[in-house]
Amino acid sequence: QVQLVDSGGGSVQAGGSLRLSCAASRFTYCMAWFRRAPGKEREGVAYITTGGTSNYAKSFKGRFAVSQDNAKNILYLQMNRLKPEDTAMYYCAAGGRAYCNLDSSTFVDWGQGTQVTVLS
């Protein structure tokens, strides 16, 4: 069992930035960020492995950056040039496999979520 606590969400103007944090009791091989907007399916955003290999869903490349502090077990998501369409609840997650992807079914523990609202 991995305990995850998300924080850093808030309300920002379009074009602004936020940095989300996820404090984890420990890291698994694959740590990731997902989001869910009202009326939409849960969507993978980015993942990072213990070795620092990261990947992003196509929509987020160039605007979002995932990083981690392995010593402190903190996962980050830097979000820049935010758009109203980015408004969603954002969740960090810990994977349960020896590989990494953005298939939500492979993640076993989830943070409580932090709300991001982007104003137009």
Side-chain angles (χ1 to χ4, degrees):
Q1 179 85 0
V2 179
Q3 285 75 51
L4 303 165
V5 180
D6 302 322
S7 63
S11 181
V12 297
Q13 298 280 73
S17 298
L18 283 173
R19 189 175 76 160
L20 308 183
S21 298
C22 172
S25 59
R26 65 179 179 90
F27 280 168
T28 61
Y29 176 72
C30 185
M31 304 294 294
W33 290 95
F34 291 81
R35 73 181 189 184
R36 188 166 191 169
K40 292 187 176 181
E41 196 79 9
R42 181 168 52 195
E43 178 182 27
V45 176
Y47 71 71
I48 188 166
T49 70
T50 55
T53 299
S54 60
N55 197 20
Y56 302 83
K58 183 179 178 180
S59 299
F60 310 110
K61 288 184 177 179
R63 293 196 300 125
F64 291 7
V66 64
S67 61
Q68 63 192 5
D69 184 334
N70 286 305
K72 296 182 178 179
N73 291 332
I74 301 175
L75 183 72
Y76 300 100
L77 183 68
Q78 179 68 45
M79 306 187 295
N80 299 318
R81 304 196 313 279
L82 284 161
K83 305 173 182 178
E85 306 94 277
D86 295 319
T87 295
M89 186 74 77
Y90 286 72
Y91 302 86
C92 64
R97 311 286 179 88
Y99 57 88
C100 209
N101 57 29
L102 288 174
D103 179 354
S104 62
S105 69
T106 68
F107 290 82
V108 295
D109 294 295
W110 296 78
Q112 84 285 356
T114 185
Q115 178 68 39
V116 172
T117 301
V118 184
L119 305 174
S120 61

